[in-house]
Amino acid sequence: EAQVTQNPRYLITVTGKKLTVTCSQNMNHEYMSWYRQDPGLGLRQIYYSMNVEVTDKGDVPEGYKVSRKEKRNFPLILESPSPNQTSLYFCASRTGLGYTFGSGTRLTVV
Amino acid sequence: AQKVTQAQTEISVVEKEDVTLDCVYETRDTTYYLFWYKQPPSGELVFLIRRNSFDEQNEISGRYSWNFQKSTSSFNFTITASQVVDSAVYFCALMRGSQGNLIFGKGTKLSVKP
């Protein structure tokens, strides 16, 4: 089954403690992306990757890092999380026909 | 600049009513794609429809229909005879060409009451 898998689904952490949200796709897609969703703001793009070792900033990249060492994985790294990064995060991969989204990661930073 | 506007923040209807969710987009590209996604209370994003800029035919899928009008840059979504299970947040989105990033509107929260 074609899918994008994010882990964890839920995470509560403390300010400043580094964390990584993993994202993996099994469709051999070149393009992957991270979004965050906040009430009243919709989904905003954090980072995207056109292919292995090629990443670029989206609309809200501050406070985040990504890496793309292999095609299937695109982890989102928060080096020093802050409460304003409390949000619902989605990973997605893309073909020419559209996007496949992961199930989301609900992150709370206290 | 590209932009998607969903002016309706929240809509509340009674079951069996028809409801239309508005979506207005801005782009200077001639080739683009428009999408609608549903986000039920469980949180996942459910793909509903994709439409390219060269295809202005309206589409109907069961109780769902979409009206695409390039002249007004709109891609509206109508649910006929709404049901409680239609309660969700609905997002309209725009993709530039076939390789662009996906830009979302802020979403419309639909509540269907029994």
Side-chain angles (χ1 to χ4, degrees), chain B residues 76-94:
Chain B
N76 297 336
F77 173 32
T78 297
I79 302 174
T80 302
S82 59
Q83 300 176 0
V84 173
V85 294
D86 296 325
S87 296
V89 179
Y90 291 86
F91 291 99
C92 181
L94 168 69

Side-chain angles (χ1 to χ4, degrees), chain B residues 91-106:
Chain B
F91 291 99
C92 181
L94 168 69
M95 185 171 82
R96 183 180 191 181
S98 62
Q99 302 294 323
N101 295 321
L102 196 60
I103 299 166
F104 284 85
K106 295 183 178 180

Side-chain angles (χ1 to χ4, degrees), chain A residues 6-27:
Chain A
Q6 289 178 235
N7 280 297
R9 288 293 308 275
Y10 300 92
L11 179 61
I12 301 175
T13 190
V14 296
T15 298
K17 184 177 181 181
K18 180 179 179 179
L19 67 91
T20 299
V21 183
T22 64
C23 175
S24 178
Q25 50 99 358
N26 62 359
M27 297 164 281

Side-chain angles (χ1 to χ4, degrees), chain B residues 43-61:
Chain B
E44 73 272 20
L45 288 167
V46 178
F47 168 79
L48 295 178
I49 190 171
R50 169 184 175 266
R51 173 67 69 212
N52 75 57
S53 54
F54 298 108
D55 183 2
E56 284 194 77
Q57 277 193 337
N58 293 330
E59 178 148 344
I60 298 174
S61 177

